[in-house]
Amino acid sequence: MGRVPQKSDYSVFIADEAAMVMFGQQIARATTGGEVIFLEGDLGMGKTTLSRGVLQGFGHQGSVKSPTYTLVEPYELGDITVFHFDLYRLGDPEELEYLGIRDYFTDQSICLIEWPERGEGALPLADLLLNITVEQRGRRINWQPQTEKGRQLADKLIVS
C-alpha cells in the first residue's frame, strides 16, 4: 500500500564533487516538505557531499559533516528543518526508538538518511530512494520513488 510503480530511467551521471553538490541543490529546490530520502551507496560514494548540496540549497553555509557518532544532525533553515541521519554505526534499529525517531518525520522536515538499511523496521517508507555507484571517474545516481510524493519529487529531478 502506498507504493508506486518503479521507473528505471531516473538516473544522472555526476562527474565530480561540484556536480554532486549541484544535484543536491536541485533536490532541495524540488522538495515541498515532509520528504524522507534514503541515500544508499558504499563508503566514499558521496552521500554526505550530496547532503551538503541539499543543505546549501536551503541556504546553509556552514560545514556539513556526516553525523556518524550522533546519528542525526538537525539544520533549522527558515520554515524547514533538514535532519541528516547517518546510521552507519547503528547497532540495532531499536536504538532509533530511543531517539524518538517518529518525531523527526513531519511536514516541516526533510529527512536525509544515509545507511537506511541499518534502521530497517524502525524507519518509515522512503519517498525517494537514491543509490550512488561508481561510473568511470565519477558517480551514477539512480533514484526510485516509493510513494506518490516521491514520484512527484523524482519527476522534478529528471535531468535533460
Side-chain angles (χ1 to χ4, degrees):
M1 182 179 134
R3 290 184 87 93
V4 294
Q6 297 195 356
K7 185 175 170 181
S8 60
D9 61 350
Y10 291 124
S11 176
V12 65
F13 175 73
I14 302 293
D16 55 24
E17 184 174 342
M20 184 71 80
V21 169
M22 285 177 49
F23 188 69
Q25 292 170 344
Q26 185 181 352
I27 291 171
R29 287 190 299 273
T31 58
T32 58
E35 288 88 356
V36 176
I37 301 172
F38 286 1
L39 305 174
E40 296 183 338
D42 292 338
L43 284 169
M45 286 295 106
K47 297 180 295 293
T48 300
T49 301
L50 181 67
S51 296
R52 184 172 74 232
V54 172
L55 288 160
Q56 287 178 359
F58 282 106
H60 179 71
Q61 297 184 4
S63 66
V64 175
K65 291 181 280 192
S66 191
T68 304
Y69 293 99
T70 57
L71 297 181
V72 62
E73 188 67 40
Y75 295 87
E76 292 184 25
L77 303 163
D79 294 338
I80 203 99
T81 300
V82 177
F83 293 105
H84 180 202
F85 292 84
D86 182 337
L87 305 183
Y88 184 73
R89 296 199 181 278
L90 186 69
D92 185 316
E94 195 172 287
E95 292 175 40
L96 294 174
E97 295 298 333
Y98 299 118
L99 280 176
I101 191 73
R102 287 174 176 69
D103 296 340
Y104 291 95
F105 303 104
T106 71
D107 289 340
Q108 291 77 42
S109 70
I110 294 168
C111 294
L112 305 172
I113 305 174
E114 297 184 32
W115 302 97
E117 64 276 10
R118 302 200 181 205
E120 194 171 328
L123 296 174
L125 180 66
D127 294 301
L128 198 64
L129 173 62
L130 280 85
N131 187 276
I132 308 170
T133 55
V134 171
E135 183 173 306
Q136 298 165 5
R137 292 187 174 171
R139 302 287 187 262
R140 167 73 53 189
I141 301 179
N142 292 289
W143 60 97
Q144 295 179 330
Q146 306 288 300
T147 65
E148 179 57 29
K149 183 182 262 273
R151 188 194 59 75
Q152 292 172 15
L153 176 57
D155 287 346
K156 291 178 190 174
L157 297 177
I158 293 177
V159 180
S160 52

